[in-house]
Amino acid sequence: MRVIRAASAALLGAVALVTVAPLATADEDDRDITSFGFSVTPATIAPGGTVTLTSDGCEVPSVTVTSTVFETVTLNEGRPGTATVDLDAKAGAQYEITFDCKGERGTTKLTIAQDDTGANTGHETGTGTHTGAHKGVKAGYGTAASGADADGLGATELVTGVLLIAGALGAAVVLTRRHADGRA
């Protein structure tokens, strides 16, 4: 009887880990593994700031970079490019940046800094190219607000949940064994 209980608890634990563990390790960044490299620097910028876009390893001469927070940029011959973030970008929001290399796409996030963070806006160094013109509304495009409310559970929350489940199942096995040993 004790063996059946222990086997049942072990089986339940294994099923829980097999079911939940892949979700915990499948971070949003996993979908960004591509045959070419890409980056956005800085990763956090104030509205109106300038970001540098880079790509390497793409076999075609140009990579197209798109986002709802700046105009489309084409990177030629592996040379970096720049983009100016819209002045109406929401502080604290994360915007998805997509790099397209001959149909293969990779994405990354660009975070818009709060006004008091002192993030690089591109205006202090004279590198900003913003003319002050305000762009119109882009209907149909949403932004991913930072936090678990808009993005669902993140990897940290899922890993924590898996660890709590595994710990509870382990404790159940130990208590079941102790209880069964107490009767014997």
Side-chain angles (χ1 to χ4, degrees):
M1 188 71 162
R2 195 171 32 180
V3 174
I4 293 174
R5 286 183 186 165
S8 297
L11 183 60
L12 283 173
V15 168
L17 288 176
V18 168
T19 304
V20 180
L23 297 174
T25 59
D27 192 5
E28 289 181 30
D29 294 334
D30 287 349
R31 67 173 189 234
D32 299 331
I33 297 173
T34 60
S35 64
F36 67 100
F38 55 89
S39 68
V40 176
T41 51
T44 301
I45 189 87
T50 301
V51 293
T52 301
L53 309 165
T54 58
S55 174
D56 60 359
C58 185
E59 295 176 7
V60 296
S62 65
V63 173
T64 305
V65 185
T66 56
S67 178
T68 59
V69 75
F70 57 74
E71 294 290 328
T72 298
V73 175
T74 301
L75 306 177
N76 293 310
E77 303 294 329
R79 290 188 297 261
T82 60
T84 302
V85 175
D86 295 341
L87 282 174
D88 60 349
K90 183 179 176 186
Q94 288 186 335
Y95 292 87
E96 189 170 272
I97 312 299
T98 303
F99 290 77
D100 188 328
C101 169
K102 65 180 178 179
E104 181 181 8
R105 293 183 178 184
T107 59
T108 188
K109 299 282 186 182
L110 176 66
T111 302
I112 305 303
Q114 301 294 337
D115 293 335
D116 58 351
T117 61
N120 177 21
T121 63
H123 299 296
E124 297 82 16
T125 60
T127 61
T129 58
H130 202 300
T131 61
H134 191 278
K135 295 169 61 175
V137 175
K138 295 179 184 177
Y141 293 97
T143 61
S146 61
D149 294 347
D151 293 337
L153 295 177
T156 304
E157 290 88 359
L158 288 173
V159 169
T160 302
V162 167
L163 292 174
L164 287 171
I165 290 169
L169 290 172
V173 169
V174 169
L175 291 174
T176 302
R177 283 185 171 178
R178 285 185 183 168
H179 183 68
D181 288 340
R183 288 186 182 174

